[in-house]
Amino acid sequence: MVLLSGYYNNSDVANVDSSENDSVPFRETGYVCSTMGEPCISCTTFNILAPIYKRLDQKNQSVRESEFRAFWLARNKKILNWLLYERSSIICLQEFWIGNEELVHMYEERLGAAGYDTFKLARSNNRGDVASDMGKDGHTSWAGLLTAINKEYFKVLNHRELFFNDFGDRVAQLLHVQSVVPYSRNQNDSVEQEIIIVNTHLLFPHDSSLSIVRLHQVYQILQYLETYQRENKLSHMPVILCGDWNGSKRGHVYKFLRSQGFVSSYDIAHEYTDSDADAHRWVSHRNHRGNICGVDFIWLRNPLKSRKPLKISWAEAAFGIIKYQLKKVSLADNDAFAFLRAGNNGNNITYSAFCDALRQVNLTGLSYGLSFQETKDLWVQADTNGNGVLEYEEFKRIWDATWLRHTDEDCSLADLNEGIAEEEAIGFAVKKAVLFPREAEKGIWPENYSLSDHARLTAVFSPMRLRCSKQSL
C-alpha cells in the first residue's frame, strides 16, 4: 500500500488564509491508492487571473491590480502557498503574468525549491489584451501559461509549444512525461508509465461567431497530439488536458472533446452525466460580466479508447456551430434548408450557396472564420454521394446528427472473451475531484473569495490496468 505523500498538513508551507480553512483539500495525512499498489497522481488546473486583467474599481475599469505591487504580490504569494500546500503532481496555470520578471522569478524559485520542473509560455505577439504591451507600472503586459511537474512523480521526456497563430494569439503546452515509480502492467511486467499533459487557455467567446475559433484551437491541439503520438509510436498512453476552456458543458468544445474519447474528471468523480440536468451543477468562473459558469476542466483520455476519426468529429462539431448560428436567426430545419439553397430552384444546395450562407452567419469571410480548405472539407463530408450538391436527405443527416455516440465500454478492467487477441495498457481511474472554493461545487460563487475569478480544480487519479480487444481498435 502506497500513500500519496504530497498531501500533508504543514503550517509552515501552507501559511494559508484562515478564511479558506473549510476549503483545504485532502487534509488527511495521506491519500491511499491501493488498486494496483502504485501511488496516485494528482493534477491541479487554475486560472490565477493575471494582475493586468484584475479590475480593482468597478466604476473605473482601467484601474488594474498590476499598478499596485503590494496587491498583486500578496495575492500571488497566497496562490503559491496553496499550490505548495496541495503539492499536486501536475500543476497547470493560466493567465500567468510572464511579462513581470519579479513574479516569474518568485514562482520559478519557490516551485523549483519544492521539487518542480517549470515550463512557461507567453501568448504569441506578446498579447495581453490591453491597449499596449507596456503597463502603467512599467512592466510588459503579456500573460500566458505555466506548467509545473513534480519530480517525485514524473520525469519530463519532452516539451513542445503549440502556437495557434489565430485571432486570439492563444497557445498550448504539451509535456511528455514518464512516471518515476514503475507501474505493474501485469504479474510479470512493470513499466515506467508515460503520459501526455496539455495546458491551454482558449479564446473568450466575446461573440457567438467566435465559437468556431475556440473549436479550431481544440482541433489543432488534437491534430498535434495525434501527430506527436503517431510519430513517436505512443498510442498506448493516457492523455490529460488541463486549462480554462472558456466554454461550458453545453458548448461545442465540450461535445467535441467527448466525441474524441475524453471525459471530464470532475463530472466522473461526482457521477454527473452529459445531460442538461447536470450541466450547471457546478461553476468555476465568474467573468467580467458577472456571469458564473463552469469552464475549467481536467480532461482524461485513457489508452485503447475507441473513438471517431478526428476529421469526422471536427466536421460534426463545425456543422454543430453552423446549425447553432442558423437557429439563432430562428430558422427551423425546413427554413434553414431554404436559406442554404439561396434561391436555387432545385431541391438541393449548391457549393456556392453553401459558402454564401456561411458568410452570412459570420463563419467565413473574416480573419477568424473557416478557411477555404476547411469549408471545402466540410462540403466533402456533407456530400455523401459525391454528386456536387446536397439533397434534403443529406442536409437532414447533418441537421439531426447526434453528438455523444461514445463507445466507452470497449476497454475495461475485466478479462475479455477467451480466444480474442487483446491489447494491454495502463490507464487512470478518477478517484476524486474537488473545486475550491467549495461553494463552487454547489453552483454558487462566494463574494469573499479573492484569489482569482476562477476556482481551483484538483483531480486525483489512480493507475489501473486496461485490456481491450484488438478488433475494437
Side-chain angles (χ1 to χ4, degrees), residues 140-156:
T140 50
S141 299
W142 29 287
L145 308 171
L146 176 79
T147 301
I149 304 298
N150 191 325
K151 290 185 284 189
E152 293 179 10
Y153 291 89
F154 294 112
K155 175 173 63 177
V156 178

Side-chain angles (χ1 to χ4, degrees), residues 252-276:
H252 302 286
V253 165
Y254 181 93
K255 296 171 182 176
F256 184 29
L257 285 167
R258 289 289 286 119
S259 74
Q260 281 296 294
F262 287 93
V263 296
S264 161
S265 59
Y266 185 84
D267 291 289
I268 290 294
H270 294 265
E271 299 182 350
Y272 295 151
T273 69
D274 291 326
S275 67
D276 287 345

Side-chain angles (χ1 to χ4, degrees), residues 176-193:
H176 177 191
V177 303
Q178 183 181 66
S179 63
V180 172
V181 177
Y183 291 175
S184 299
R185 189 160 53 188
N186 54 50
Q187 293 181 349
N188 304 312
D189 184 24
S190 294
V191 294
E192 293 173 333
Q193 180 61 35

Side-chain angles (χ1 to χ4, degrees), residues 24 68 81-82 87 100 115 119 126 140 169 185 207 217 249 255 267 271 365 395 401 405 407 422 424 433 439 441:
V24 175
F68 305 92
N81 289 340
W82 273 107
R87 286 188 61 82
N100 185 292
F119 303 84
N126 292 347
T140 50
D169 294 313
R185 189 160 53 188
D207 180 88
Q217 289 168 348
K249 287 181 64 174
K255 296 171 182 176
D267 291 289
E271 299 182 350
F395 162 78
R405 292 174 179 168
T407 50
E422 295 177 356
E424 283 192 349
E439 292 91 337
E441 298 192 324

Side-chain angles (χ1 to χ4, degrees), residues 16-175:
V16 293
D17 187 342
S18 60
S19 66
E20 284 200 1
N21 277 349
D22 291 337
S23 297
V24 175
F26 314 118
R27 289 297 294 266
E28 56 264 37
T29 55
Y31 195 84
V32 176
C33 181
S34 58
T35 303
M36 289 172 54
E38 285 87 10
C40 287
I41 66 165
S42 53
C43 180
T44 294
T45 186
F46 192 16
N47 181 323
I48 60 175
L49 181 57
I52 54 174
Y53 306 146
K54 184 171 174 60
R55 297 169 173 86
L56 297 183
D57 187 344
Q58 294 302 316
K59 294 181 180 179
N60 184 356
Q61 297 280 315
S62 65
V63 178
R64 303 295 173 99
E65 186 189 54
S66 55
E67 300 173 39
F68 305 92
R69 177 181 178 274
F71 288 5
W72 60 254
L73 187 61
R75 182 170 66 89
N76 279 275
K77 282 182 177 180
K78 189 179 292 186
I79 289 171
L80 264 169
N81 289 340
W82 273 107
L83 294 174
L84 293 175
Y85 177 74
E86 293 176 1
R87 286 188 61 82
S88 288
S89 317
I90 304 159
I91 298 173
C92 294
L93 304 181
Q94 303 84 43
E95 290 195 19
F96 180 64
W97 194 14
I98 292 177
N100 185 292
E101 292 182 4
E102 181 181 5
L103 183 140
V104 170
H105 177 73
M106 179 176 71
Y107 273 83
E108 290 182 334
E109 183 177 53
R110 291 191 62 188
L111 287 169
Y116 286 87
D117 283 325
T118 58
F119 303 84
K120 63 182 184 293
L121 177 62
R123 290 170 62 180
S124 53
N125 298 321
N126 292 347
R127 185 68 174 263
D129 285 344
V130 291
S132 68
D133 287 334
M134 185 67 71
K136 294 179 182 178
D137 57 358
H139 293 290
T140 50
S141 299
W142 29 287
L145 308 171
L146 176 79
T147 301
I149 304 298
N150 191 325
K151 290 185 284 189
E152 293 179 10
Y153 291 89
F154 294 112
K155 175 173 63 177
V156 178
L157 301 180
N158 204 348
H159 167 236
R160 297 288 180 88
E161 299 175 344
L162 176 57
F163 297 88
F164 299 137
N165 296 316
D166 60 12
F167 176 75
D169 294 313
R170 301 289 174 146
V171 294
Q173 294 173 294
L174 181 149
L175 281 85

